[in-house]
């Protein structure tokens, strides 16, 4: 089943506006239809009521005219009065026909039929008998009944206006109820359309924004797929091409780092062995200046070794083929062991090393987690001034293990906070110690934490020093190995 996909965001927006305005247009058309219907009904009702009243009045006048002519005919015996009666009778018949064409009530129509019957009997009697006949004198007395019926018909016609008014009020009330229910149905329908097209328009934009953040964070493994109009899907395809290109460059960079680091280890080994032989005076005794030079060589060999090891670790952290060796890790024991490795350095600077660790275990890569904690603790010891304090906390909260490393050093400058986890970036603070850092320890820590689906962040609420927090899920995916 295929769905209509607009070719552009503009077309999708126009379709959205059209569908959102469609219920409103339908409501307006329906309201116009009901108003027109009510106007036509009221016009017909008023016309019919006026015609009924007018014809009822004319019937009454014609009945009186016929009565007057009939009585004059009976008294005077003049045939001209009979002609006047017959003329009034013809007009009466026409008026009755017009009245009968109107939508009268059954009672009113019955009264009109009785009126016609009485008038017809009077008409036939007077036309068939001489004026001095007894039957003619007797039938004239029926004009009283005829007048009474004419007045009753007029009264019913007057009440017809009230009935039509009530009917129009009922129709108006029904129309009002229909329009109210229609409005109540259209409001959620319109809101549904608005919400639907808001999602359809904003979803690809959010996906593009997410994809850009994904590329900015260096997460090149996940494919970028943008849904929506064709122009935005085309942008998504270009972003995915950029992702693949960046992934290739990243792999080339890591391959280069691995090769360079590996090639540097061979001459470094020879340098280390040579400087150790000189320092141990295996090749002959040394004077004071020569021992000083040998110490400098040893120190720089150690620094160079650290640089190469950091490059290798950084290469492993960045490599997409690296795996996590998942197994249960006792975090309390791991952190305690790392703290012990730094206790001599802390003692040399007269630092207080405080541990407050809960007994927590999780599933993870022990070596990589050790590297994360080691980098954070070594930085805290390195940047903390003499007689300062380094505190390490471990606790569990909402299914996560939280590690806090806090020192009383110079803290982190505001300009450094956004770049501190970038590779080879060194902040403004000056480390205490003979060997300077390489600027990739925190970058390695971040990569290893992200590989465990966790996060590492700088907590800014600490009044002095630096506060790093690592949040790790207590349960990883139930697989033996996981790609970084």
């Amino acid at each position: 089943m295929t769905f209509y996909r607009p070719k552009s965001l503009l077309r999708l927006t126009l379709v959205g506006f059209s569908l959102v305005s469609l219920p409103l247009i339908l409501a307006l058309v329906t309201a116009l239809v009901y108003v027109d219907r009510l106007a036509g009904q009221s016009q017909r009702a008023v016309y019919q009521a006026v015609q009924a009243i007018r014809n009822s009045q004319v019937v009454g006048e014609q009945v009186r005219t016929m009565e007057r002519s009939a009585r004059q005919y009976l008294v005077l015996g003049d045939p001209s009065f009979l002609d006047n009666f017959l003329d009034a009778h013809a007009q009466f018949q026409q008026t009755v026909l017009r009245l009968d064409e109107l939508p009268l009530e059954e009672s009113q129509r019955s009264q009109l039929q009785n009126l016609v019957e009485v008038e017809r009997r009077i008409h036939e009697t007077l036309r068939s008998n001489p004026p001095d006949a007894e039957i003619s004198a007797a039938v004239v007395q029926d004009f009283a009944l005829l007048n009474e019926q004419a007045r009753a018909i007029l009264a019913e016609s007057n009440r017809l206006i009230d009935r039509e008014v009530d009917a129009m009020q009922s129709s108006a009330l029904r129309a009002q109820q229909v329009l109210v229910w229609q409005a109540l149905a259209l409001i959620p329908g319109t809101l549904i359309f608005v919400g639907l097209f808001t999602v359809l328009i904003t979803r690809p934009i959010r996906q593009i924004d997410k994809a850009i953040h994904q590329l900015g964070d260096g997460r090149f493994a996940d494919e970028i797929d943008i849904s929506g109009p064709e122009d935005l899907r085309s942008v998504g395809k270009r972003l995915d091409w950029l992702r693949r290109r960046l992934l290739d460059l990243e792999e080339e960079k890591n391959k280069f780092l691995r090769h360079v680091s590996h090639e540097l280890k061979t001459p470094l080994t020879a340098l280390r062995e040579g400087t150790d032989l000189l320092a141990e005076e295996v090749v002959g005794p040394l004077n004071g200046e020569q021992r000083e030079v040998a110490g400098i060589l040893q120190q720089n060999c150690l620094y160079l070794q650290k640089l190469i090891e950091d490059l290798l670790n950084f290469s492993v952290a960045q490599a997409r083929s690296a795996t996590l060796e998942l197994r249960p890790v006792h975090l309390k024991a791991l952190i305690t062991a790392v703290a012990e490795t730094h206790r001599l350095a802390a003692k040399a600077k007269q630092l207080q090393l405080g541990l407050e660790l809960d007994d927590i275990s999780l599933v993870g890569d022990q070596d990589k987690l050790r590297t994360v904690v080691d980098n954070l603790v070594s930085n805290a010891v390195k940047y903390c001034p003499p007689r300062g304090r380094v505190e390490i906390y471990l606790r569990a909260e909402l299914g996560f293990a939280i590690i806090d490393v806090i020192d009383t050093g110079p803290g982190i400058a505001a300009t450094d906070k956004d770049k501190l986890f970038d590779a080879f970036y060194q902040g403004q603070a000056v480390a205490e110690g003979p060997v300077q850092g390489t600027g990739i320890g925190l970058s390695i820590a971040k990569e290893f934490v992200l590989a465990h689906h966790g996060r590492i962040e700088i907590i800014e609420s600490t009044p002095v020093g630096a506060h790093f927090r690592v949040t790790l899920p207590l349960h990883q995916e139930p697989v033996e190995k996981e790609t970084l």
Side-chain angles (χ1 to χ4, degrees), residues 45 104 122 202 250 256-257 270 338 387 477:
L104 303 177
I122 294 173
T202 59
E250 189 74 11
F256 171 77
L257 288 176
V338 171
R387 291 178 296 278
E477 295 296 328

Side-chain angles (χ1 to χ4, degrees), residues 421-440:
F421 292 102
D422 294 344
F424 305 104
Y425 181 81
Q426 292 182 327
Q428 300 179 13
V430 179
E432 299 281 344
V435 179
Q436 298 298 315
T438 60
I440 58 176

